[in-house]
Amino acid sequence: MSENPADAVSEDIISGSHAVAALFSRGRLTAIPRKAARREQLLVHLKETLFEPGRQYTEREVNEALLTVHDDFPALRRYLITAGLLTRTRDGASYQRAA
């Protein structure tokens, strides 16, 4: 993960999908998409730009990374888990990017 996760998001927006880029303004997510397909695109983007493969994260680290793009980090975290893009231990103490 880069020093500043928002920088990674911004860099990916410049080179990445126009559909995902349209969801952001100045490196921040303007709203969480209601449509499932659009939300899935966003979640994949967040997984790939904010979380390193194979690294374990605490809940606080996940929250801080997601907070760099949107204030409703609990919803984003929940969507990432539900979509199977992040996994967590049963006790919720550790998170990891899914393969």
Side-chain angles (χ1 to χ4, degrees):
M1 189 163 70
S2 81
E3 288 291 319
N4 182 355
D7 289 347
V9 171
S10 297
E11 290 168 13
D12 192 67
I13 288 170
I14 291 167
S15 64
S17 164
H18 177 69
V20 172
L23 300 172
F24 287 83
S25 175
R26 298 179 184 171
R28 299 273 299 166
L29 180 62
T30 58
I32 299 171
R34 290 185 180 155
K35 292 186 178 182
R38 189 95 186 246
R39 189 170 52 238
E40 180 74 18
Q41 289 176 327
L42 168 68
L43 296 173
V44 168
H45 170 79
L46 294 177
K47 173 192 113 167
E48 292 174 354
T49 57
L50 297 178
F51 304 103
E52 295 177 19
R55 180 170 181 253
Q56 297 285 322
Y57 293 88
T58 64
E59 183 171 348
R60 182 177 187 161
E61 290 172 319
V62 171
N63 293 345
E64 289 172 353
L66 294 172
L67 190 56
T68 66
V69 295
H70 197 270
D71 290 337
D72 194 358
F73 61 89
L76 290 174
R77 185 185 65 233
R78 186 172 48 253
Y79 286 133
L80 285 163
I81 296 295
T82 302
L85 299 171
L86 278 184
T87 60
R88 76 175 159 208
T89 56
R90 282 184 182 244
D91 64 4
S94 180
Y95 294 75
Q96 187 171 2
R97 176 179 159 173

